[in-house]
Amino acid sequence: MERSGSGRGGGRGRGRGRGGGRGRRSPSTPPVVVGKEQCGCVRGSEEKNRPQNSSPDSHSDSDSVGIGVAKLKICDDVDKPSPPPPAAAAVGEGVFDICPRKQPGTVVLKPSLLVKNRERRRSSNSSSLLLRPGMVLLRGYLSLSDQKKIVERCRELGVGVGGFYQPGYGEGVEMHLKMMCLGKNWDPHTSQYGEQRPFDGAKPPLIPPEFHTLVSNALRDSNALFPHDPLPSISPDICIVNFYSQTGRLGLHQDKDESKDSLRRGLPVVSFSIGYSAQFLYGDHRDPDKAQKLQLESGDVLIFGGPSRNVFHGVTAIDTTTAPNLLQHINLRPGRLNLTFRQY
């Protein structure tokens, strides 16, 4: 779903971005891996490492929809710094850590009572919506525990070989996000999938088994809720992981670089949202004025397939007033982490 891109924002190209730009193809200057927090579209490639701090979420494991996930080590102690990232093999000025170590003197503000009560109400009133045929929103589907595990696993993979980097189209044009591919690599220059990243030869990490379980459960529960509008199951072999900073965005685009068979069968895209809320647009046209708006919040799962498989969609803004308590527990950078799963 959300990939990176210019005009599309931090997930595909051709006037879009990829979480996951695809679309506009540019000259061949390769993207570079950078460690700077900036996820905005800028000219030039002068990015330097700039670790940032994070903020806050809270939901209980009982909010989960019965998902069995392997136990993972999580950084849920806000006073304990994250361990230093392993050396990355990708070329560039440094790695991008979505869960950086806290700096000396960092003050973590506790969420207000208003925020706590709002999240409590939301977790107890989780709902699901059939947005249009083939497009389902599972509100608050991922529990706090699920989200912690996802973030920690993405952090572990993101600082290693084939991890997060700053995608771009050459000529100094960069996308509005950091991107990491799992399973297969998606190349913004060619809008094609491959077995390794062209600019550094790194192979994408495998999709963790627990992510497969979450995707399978989400599709099963979606079809149970809307039996008259069922979606086919998938065995995802692609996951685009995008991290949007507070200024990140993604222009309207279609996810249509998968195989002809996958598109013909309407195999769904499954998207996880974690962190700050995002203003999400979707519709039948690339024109934002004709698109419908939706707020995607931390823990939401969005699924689109069948007759909505080629829906235009994008992210116009990250809402910096919606930092969930989750960010306080896991030291995630201020921003939004988005994972989109699909089957090639």
Side-chain angles (χ1 to χ4, degrees), residues 52-55 75 77-78 80-82 98-102 108 151 326-333:
Q52 292 189 3
N53 302 318
S54 61
S55 56
C75 45
D77 184 348
V78 297
K80 181 168 62 179
S82 303
I98 62 171
C99 220
R101 288 175 289 176
K102 293 184 181 298
V108 178
V151 170
L326 167 77
L327 301 189
Q328 178 180 342
H329 290 281
I330 59 177
N331 198 34
L332 180 67
R333 287 177 184 267

Side-chain angles (χ1 to χ4, degrees), residues 58-80:
S58 171
H59 240 212
S60 69
D61 288 348
S62 62
D63 298 330
S64 176
V65 187
I67 301 175
V69 185
K71 293 291 183 181
L72 295 174
K73 183 178 180 182
I74 56 177
C75 45
D76 56 354
D77 184 348
V78 297
D79 296 319
K80 181 168 62 179

Side-chain angles (χ1 to χ4, degrees), residues 7 116 136 138 160 280 300:
K116 287 182 177 180
V136 174
L138 302 178
F280 183 81
D300 288 350

Side-chain angles (χ1 to χ4, degrees), residues 57-59 109-123 323-325 328-329:
D57 188 308
S58 171
H59 240 212
L109 298 178
K110 292 185 178 180
S112 66
L113 183 60
L114 176 64
V115 171
K116 287 182 177 180
N117 288 337
R118 182 187 65 194
E119 292 191 0
R120 235 180 249 119
R121 288 194 302 271
R122 181 174 179 268
S123 64
N325 292 336
Q328 178 180 342
H329 290 281

